[in-house]
């Protein structure tokens, strides 16, 4: 198996390590905790709050921009599970599950 940097997600699912899979499951679990009404979306405000806590080096403007970049399905200010997972992979992939 090829060695890859932890800060870059694999491009092929077959390259996922057990820690990668754990990280993806963790991101998904966060989504379902934030989607407390079960409507399948979380607001950009909820995501911004999460990023303020987890991505400490991001400014408010950077958080807003990254949320907007990942709101690609409806451009409605809400993120679906798929959009949220994409954001997490793009922003928080390099963090260990313990850090998260």
């Amino acid at each position: 198996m090829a060695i890859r940097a932890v800060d870059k997600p694999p491009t092929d699912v077959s390259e996922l390590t057990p820690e990668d899979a754990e990280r993806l499951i963790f991101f998904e679990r966060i989504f379902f905790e934030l989607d407390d009404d079960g409507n399948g979306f979380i607001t950009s405000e909820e995501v911004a709050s999460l990023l303020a806590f987890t991505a400490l080096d991001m400014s408010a403007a950077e958080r807003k921009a990254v949320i907007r970049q990942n709101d690609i399905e409806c451009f409605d200010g809400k993120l679906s599970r798929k959009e949220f997972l994409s954001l997490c992979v793009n922003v928080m992939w390099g963090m260990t599950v313990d850090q998260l």
Side-chain angles (χ1 to χ4, degrees):
M1 178 160 86
I3 297 174
R4 62 180 174 76
V6 71
D7 62 338
K8 295 186 181 181
T11 55
D12 184 347
V13 174
S14 67
E15 296 176 6
L16 284 175
T17 67
E19 186 176 359
D20 293 340
E22 184 179 6
R23 191 177 294 113
L24 288 172
I25 290 167
F26 185 77
F27 293 153
E28 192 166 39
R29 194 168 65 224
I30 292 172
F31 175 83
F32 287 113
E33 287 183 24
L34 291 174
D35 181 26
D36 56 359
D37 62 1
N39 68 357
F41 296 94
I42 54 177
T43 66
S44 57
E45 292 82 13
E46 291 170 315
V47 178
S49 293
L50 172 71
L51 291 176
F53 181 71
T54 57
L56 299 174
D57 59 335
M58 292 181 83
S59 68
E62 290 171 321
R63 289 190 298 269
K64 186 175 182 178
V66 79
I67 292 167
R68 196 175 315 119
Q69 289 169 351
N70 286 280
D71 183 12
I72 57 175
E73 290 178 5
C74 297
F75 307 105
D76 58 359
K78 298 184 285 187
L79 297 184
S80 67
R81 183 178 58 87
K82 180 180 175 184
E83 291 169 327
F84 178 75
L85 289 175
S86 175
L87 179 140
C88 289
V89 167
N90 290 327
V91 174
M92 297 182 281
W93 188 260
M95 297 177 181
T96 67
V97 174
D98 289 338
Q99 286 174 310
L100 293 167

